[in-house]
Each structure stands twice: as C-alpha cells, then as structure tokens.
Amino acid sequence: MTEKIRRFLDERRPATPCLVVDLDVIEDNYLNLNRLLPAAKIFYAVKANPMPEVVGRLRSLGSSFDTASRGEIELVLSQGADPANVSFGNTIKKETDIATAYALGVRLFAFDSEAELEKIARSAPGSRVFCRVLVECDGAEWPLSRKFGCAPQMAADLMVKAREHGLDPYGISFHVGSQQTDLGQWDKAVGGVAQLFSILRERDVELRMINLGGGFPAKYRSDIPPLEAYAEAVMGAIYKHFGNAIPDIIIEPGRSMAGDAGVLQTEVVLISKKDEAEDKRWIYLDVGKFSGLAETMDEAIKYRLCTPHDGGATGPVILAGPTCDSADILYEKANYELPVDLKIGDKIEILATGAYTTSYSSVNFNGFAPLNTICI
Ligand SMILES: *Cc1c(COP(=O)(O)O)cnc(C)c1O
C-alpha cells in the first residue's frame, strides 16, 4: 500500500467497500514497462480498469489503447486519445460497432475467424488487421484459452484472404493467459508466430507486427518473478525467433498496469462458526464476488489481506461476501488464516485490487451499490 493511499484512507475514512487507486503507481508501472521493453508499443487493455482518470493519465504519458467495445472506444477518445493509437482488439464485434469505430478514425482491428474478417472488410475497408492465434495458457492463473484465437494454419489462410479483401494484413497476436507465471510461454508463442511470418512470406504476404498481448502479473499471495525477468523472456524470444528482422511489437498490459495501484478497503460484517467444535471461523466482509472480487471465482486470484491485528496469532478462516447467494464465497480451500483478534467492524485492506474489480462489480445485486472507486 502506498503512503498516499494510507493517508487518504486514514484522513477521509470513505464508506466501505471502497477501492482507492493511486494514479502515480499507474504512471510508474507504465514508465517502468516502457523502460524495460523500449521496442514495444504499449496498448493499455482498458478492461482492466476503465476509470476515466486511469485512461487519462495513461494517455498523457503517450500510451495507446486496446479496446473491446464501442463504449471503451468512446471512453478513450473522450480522454483525448488519438484514434490512430486505438486498437479494436476484441475478436467478437457487432458489424455496426466496427462501422462506428471506423467512422471515429480507428484503423486497427483484430479477428480470429473468416466471418469476422468479412465484417471488417465491409465496414472498415482498407484497415490494418491482425489475426489472433490460439496458444496454450499453461501457467496462467486466469487463462484466456479456447474462446479466442484460431489454429495457425487457419490464421495463415485468413491473412491471405485479408489481403484479397483489400485489408492490410499487418500481423499476428496471441495472449498467453492473464497472470502468467511461466516465462517459457512467450518463447513457444513467439516461435509459432515467427513460423507464420515465414509461411506467409512464401505466399507473398509480408507481415510487419507481432502483438504479445498481456499476461504480465500483479503481486498477489504467491511470489512472482520480477518484471525484468518477463522483459528478458519476451525480448529473448523475439531475438531468438526473428533474428535481425524485428517486426513492430505491440503489448497489451492490463493487470500489470493497474493491479498494484489499487487497495480495496472492506469492513468485517460478521464472524461466526457453523459448529462450536470447529476451529474454522467464517469471516463475512462487506465486499464479495458480486461487488468486484469476481476473480476469486474458483479461488483463481488469491489477494493479500492486511488487518489491524497483523503480527498476532492467526487461525484458519473461510472468507465470504455479504450477499444472499451461496456462490458468494471468496476463499474456502485456499488456506487463508487471519488474526484471532479480528472483530466485527474491523477494516481489512485487500491489496493489488486495481485490476478487474470495479468493472466486474454488479449494478445492484441484493441492493448493494456497485464498488465505489476513487482515483487519487
Ligand atoms: C484482457 C486482455 C489483455 C490484458 O491482459 P492482462 O493479462 O490483464 O495484461 C490484453 N489483450 C487482450 C486482447 C485482452 O483481452
């Protein structure tokens, strides 16, 4: 937690649950990634945290944007982004939204199927396109496999078709899965893309761009390699597979940009046991799966918690949210322990919650308001 967030929580005492995002951390993360991967152009994945202040700060630093919908495109343009620096990166788009994006000046579009390519050809003529290929997401804590991407052979055929349709066959993208902890995944994926460059060169299509997607981590409960190691793995893979013919490089970080910029403060609503003979306590918080912590689904993302009693004796707990849905349990199997002194009314801070929280919060389930988010 940054000094700035600590001071804000102490002095302002916002009603909980409340997510506080430190824009200076977003800035540091952007500058750091830019320093470590100077050859890559950063397209911030807006879905990670779509607060206008976050987008605005990144825009002022020179970031480009990866968007998934008409709403996200309008958001980044309203924050002053140049449409030339916006990618419509979702492979599943309504044709009317493609047309709107094109009318707004967007000229870079993703696809992974023939039908989507035809929509782009009709409604965004002459645009740059990139094809997303399927990759394994082994090692990712939040995998993005199966739903997106096509087989490499299909990508090759579609890029030839893209040219026949009068589009600019710009490059290939992939995403190794979010919160990727296996640095070897980029080598495999980049190797596959380099092969596609060769195959297409023989078919007279000269690709010029590789889009490495996201996957860079935030710090949750487990240790992660330093960002330097990620940068080395990525650039090592590029040099190994592309030699001296390095294409344009795009990266689309979301989690690594916004994750550790946010702290979610919550209050303990109830502490109980289901049976006096059990030593496991149930700790019910005023935030849960439906108010921002969706990534605790299957206990995939394991957040770090801070309490006022840290350092004292701890005991095993099950953590749950406040709603009347039994799916609203955060951690039951992940062996969380909290101080035995914890009491109802105590504040708990959930760290590194700047990504994939605010935008996942439901509108009014059980009458609970969407997660209040404050950028400072
Ligand atoms: C979600 C998403 C990202 C961001 O991924 P992170 O792992 O959060 O960095 C990047 N690109 C695309 C296409 C995405 O859907």
Side-chain angles (χ1 to χ4, degrees):
M1 171 155 18
T2 64
E3 190 55 39
K4 200 169 144 196
I5 294 179
R6 179 80 270 164
R7 204 169 348 111
F8 181 87
L9 289 172
D10 289 348
E11 289 172 6
R12 303 288 187 87
R13 300 178 169 276
T16 61
C18 174
L19 175 69
V20 184
V21 175
D22 186 341
L23 295 171
D24 295 339
V25 177
I26 304 252
E27 174 161 341
D28 287 347
N29 289 342
Y30 177 87
L31 295 175
N32 200 26
L33 196 59
N34 207 23
R35 180 177 59 79
L36 289 170
L37 288 172
K41 192 164 170 183
I42 297 175
F43 283 66
Y44 171 61
V46 175
K47 75 173 187 289
N49 188 317
M51 290 296 285
E53 296 92 331
V54 171
V55 169
R57 177 67 71 97
L58 286 167
R59 205 274 310 149
S60 73
L61 295 166
S63 183
S64 297
F65 296 96
D66 170 51
T67 61
S69 64
R70 176 180 174 163
E72 284 186 355
I73 292 170
E74 286 168 351
L75 164 68
V76 300
L77 296 182
S78 76
Q79 291 302 311
D82 180 340
N85 295 327
V86 175
S87 159
F88 201 166
N90 193 342
T91 52
I92 306 152
K93 304 177 281 300
K94 287 186 183 171
E95 191 162 339
T96 49
D97 291 343
I98 295 171
T100 302
Y102 185 77
L104 290 170
V106 176
R107 293 291 181 273
L108 181 59
F109 295 85
F111 71 94
D112 64 4
S113 66
E114 183 161 9
E116 190 74 12
L117 182 64
E118 286 166 1
K119 289 187 217 167
I120 299 168
R122 280 191 298 268
S123 294
S127 290
R128 285 180 167 181
V129 290
F130 58 94
C131 186
R132 180 155 168 187
V133 291
L134 270 170
V135 293
E136 294 161 23
C137 292
D138 298 353
E141 292 183 6
W142 193 259
L144 298 163
S145 51
R146 292 203 342 224
K147 181 170 172 182
F148 309 104
C150 62
Q153 184 54 51
M154 190 168 166
D157 293 342
L158 290 175
M159 285 312 255
V160 172
K161 285 214 171 86
R163 188 188 49 192
E164 289 165 6
H165 280 306
L167 294 163
D168 175 2
Y170 185 39
I172 301 291
S173 76
F174 60 80
H175 195 304
V176 293
S178 201
Q179 190 72 8
Q180 178 55 261
T181 55
D182 175 5
L183 298 181
Q185 294 295 315
W186 276 277
D187 182 64
K188 279 199 250 177
V190 172
V193 173
Q195 269 181 350
L196 270 175
F197 271 60
S198 308
I199 289 168
L200 279 159
R201 190 167 301 126
E202 283 164 21
R203 297 170 74 174
D204 255 344
V205 174
E206 200 66 43
L207 299 181
R208 293 151 14 246
M209 184 278 284
I210 178 169
N211 179 336
L212 304 162
F216 304 105
K219 172 80 173 76
Y220 299 118
R221 205 172 63 165
S222 312
D223 280 333
I224 45 166
L227 201 58
E228 282 77 2
Y230 280 83
E232 271 171 36
V234 164
M235 287 318 291
I238 299 250
Y239 289 126
K240 176 172 151 197
H241 297 289
F242 283 94
N244 289 322
I246 305 292
D248 295 349
I249 303 170
I250 285 177
I251 49 174
E252 300 172 333
R255 189 183 301 281
S256 65
M257 207 65 83
D260 67 359
V263 171
L264 202 170
Q265 191 174 57
T266 174
E267 183 181 308
V268 177
V269 179
L270 179 67
I271 301 177
S272 68
K273 285 186 179 178
K274 302 294 176 195
D275 182 337
E276 272 310 332
E278 269 181 19
D279 63 345
K280 243 185 186 181
R281 290 165 297 160
W282 281 75
I283 312 273
Y284 300 92
L285 305 175
D286 66 0
V287 68
K289 266 204 169 75
F290 300 100
S291 41
L293 301 180
E295 286 197 322
T296 58
M297 214 185 293
D298 297 330
E299 310 194 18
I301 296 296
K302 298 180 190 69
Y303 295 107
R304 287 175 289 153
L305 307 176
C306 281
T307 80
H309 311 285
D310 287 354
T314 63
V317 297
I318 295 171
L319 276 156
T323 65
C324 299
D325 188 318
S326 59
D328 192 8
I329 294 173
L330 304 175
Y331 302 116
E332 191 171 8
K333 305 186 191 88
N335 296 320
Y336 269 78
E337 296 224 345
L338 285 175
V340 293
D341 289 342
L342 197 69
K343 3 178 245 314
I344 292 171
D346 278 345
K347 299 278 200 284
I348 290 183
E349 278 92 42
I350 310 179
L351 306 185
T353 36
Y356 303 118
T357 47
T358 315
S359 50
Y360 265 142
S361 171
S362 71
V363 173
N364 218 4
F365 182 48
N366 265 178
F368 292 107
L371 182 60
N372 181 25
T373 300
I374 302 169
C375 294
I376 59 173

